[in-house]
Amino acid sequence: MSDPTSNKPAPVLRESATFDRLTIQEIQRAAETGIYDIRGGGTKRKLPHFDDLLLLGASVSRYPLEGYREKCGTDVVLGNRFAKKPLYLKIPVTIAGMSFGALSANAKEALGRGATIAGTSTTTGDGGMTPEERGQSQHLVYQYLPSRYGMNPDDLRKADAIEIVLGQGAKPGGGGMLLGMKVTERVAGMRTLPVGVDQRSACRHPDWTGPDDLAIKIAEIREITDWEKPIYVKIGASRPYYDVKLAVKAGADVIVLDGMQGGTAATQ
C-alpha cells in the first residue's frame, strides 16, 4: 500500500493472467484490514454453466423416437432401492440445499412453489425446515448436516427424503459460515444460537468418524422414518471414485455428487 504522506507516486501494479485488477484489489484489502474474504453468491472462478451442457442426440446406439407416436419421458424415480415411498419426479433436475438464514423464508417458500410447479424437489439446507417451505413443496428433501442446527426427528418424518451431508462441493472438508447479520431472532431460535453472531458449521458429523458409522447412521434414520423415506448421501466432488463406493456400501438410496459452483451463505 502507498504512504499517503509521501510525495512519491504510488507504484503501478501491472495486471497479469494470474493477478487481474480485482485480485490485486482483494490482496490490498486483505493486507490493509487483516480480514480474509468470506462471502456468499457462489464461486469466484468462472465455471461451466447449465447452459453449457451438451445434450447428446439419438443415432444408432440410442435409436431416435418418433415424437408424434412414441413417448419420450423425463420422469425419474429416486429411492426405490430400499425406501417404501420413493420419490417420483417429473424432471431429472432438482433444487439443491440452501438454508433458511442464507435465504429468507419468502425465498424458501418461492423455491418450494417453483419446484412444485416444475414437478421436482427442493432441499432444506442447513438450519432446519420452515413451515413455509414444507407447505409449498410437494417434494421436500431434508438435509441432515454435521451442525445439527434445527434438526428435529419430527421434521425427518415430515420430509419426502433425507439427505445426509458429508461434504459440499464449494468447500469439501470444510465447515460453513453464516454471517451474524443474517442470524435474526427466528434463525437463531431454530439453530439455538445467539442473535447477530457469526455461526460456523462443523466440518464433520460429531458422532461418527468413518464409513462404518455412516452405515449405522443410515440404519438409524431408516428406523426413525419407518423405512419410508429415500436416503441420499451428499459428497463434495473430491474423491468420488472411492466416496461413491463407500456411500453405496453403507446403504444409500441416492448419491448426490456436489460441484463447486455453490456456497449460498459463505464460501471461504
Side-chain angles (χ1 to χ4, degrees):
M1 303 296 290
S2 61
D3 183 358
T5 62
S6 174
N7 294 325
K8 295 181 180 180
V12 177
L13 297 178
R14 186 174 61 185
E15 297 183 42
S16 67
T18 304
F19 297 97
D20 58 17
R21 173 49 48 187
L22 292 177
T23 302
I24 293 172
Q25 289 177 350
E26 173 57 24
I27 292 172
Q28 292 175 335
R29 184 205 62 78
E32 184 174 1
T33 64
I35 301 174
Y36 65 92
D37 187 24
I38 302 177
R39 82 285 173 276
T43 181
K44 297 176 181 177
R45 186 187 307 175
K46 183 176 176 59
L47 294 168
H49 189 268
F50 196 80
D51 292 337
D52 297 322
L53 291 177
L54 175 63
L55 302 180
L56 298 178
S59 183
V60 178
S61 60
R62 293 294 179 92
Y63 211 58
L65 300 177
E66 289 287 3
Y68 69 92
R69 64 179 181 180
E70 296 173 304
K71 183 179 179 181
C72 180
T74 60
D75 54 303
V76 62
V77 181
L78 298 176
N80 55 351
R81 186 184 183 202
F82 296 116
K84 294 179 183 177
K85 296 181 178 180
L87 226 55
Y88 293 88
L89 306 179
K90 293 181 180 179
I91 58 174
V93 179
T94 64
I95 299 177
M98 292 173 278
S99 72
F100 169 62
L103 301 183
S104 67
N106 288 341
K108 295 296 290 179
E109 179 180 347
L111 289 172
R113 289 175 180 268
T116 298
I117 292 171
T120 188
S121 65
T122 186
T123 312
T124 60
D126 203 354
M129 178 191 295
T130 64
E132 297 94 333
E133 185 176 29
R134 175 64 280 187
Q136 300 301 327
S137 304
Q138 181 180 3
H139 304 297
L140 182 60
V141 180
Y142 185 90
Q143 279 196 338
Y144 185 87
L145 294 108
S147 69
R148 302 291 197 272
Y149 289 136
M151 211 294 288
N152 186 331
D154 290 331
D155 288 341
L156 289 176
R157 300 183 185 99
K158 292 177 185 176
D160 300 294
I162 292 97
E163 181 176 281
I164 300 175
V165 178
L166 301 186
Q168 185 176 345
K171 42 184 181 283
M177 181 168 178
L178 185 64
L179 297 178
M181 65 181 69
K182 290 188 173 184
V183 183
T184 63
E185 287 190 11
R186 185 180 178 189
V187 172
M190 290 180 63
R191 302 187 183 213
T192 320
L193 292 169
V195 177
V197 177
D198 290 353
Q199 170 257 302
R200 292 185 178 272
S201 298
C203 64
R204 72 181 195 187
H205 290 260
D207 53 348
W208 43 297
T209 58
D212 291 338
D213 294 318
L214 173 59
I216 294 171
K217 181 59 64 177
I218 289 176
E220 177 184 312
I221 293 176
R222 290 203 190 278
E223 290 296 324
I224 292 173
T225 59
D226 195 27
W227 287 74
E228 290 184 347
K229 317 296 183 181
I231 295 182
Y232 302 8
V233 171
K234 177 180 178 180
I235 56 177
S238 53
R239 295 176 177 83
Y241 179 82
Y242 302 102
D243 294 344
V244 168
K245 283 187 174 183
L246 291 171
V248 171
K249 183 180 179 182
D253 294 295
V254 177
I255 309 297
V256 179
L257 188 60
D258 195 30
M260 64 183 295
Q261 295 91 336
T264 318
T267 302
Q268 301 174 11

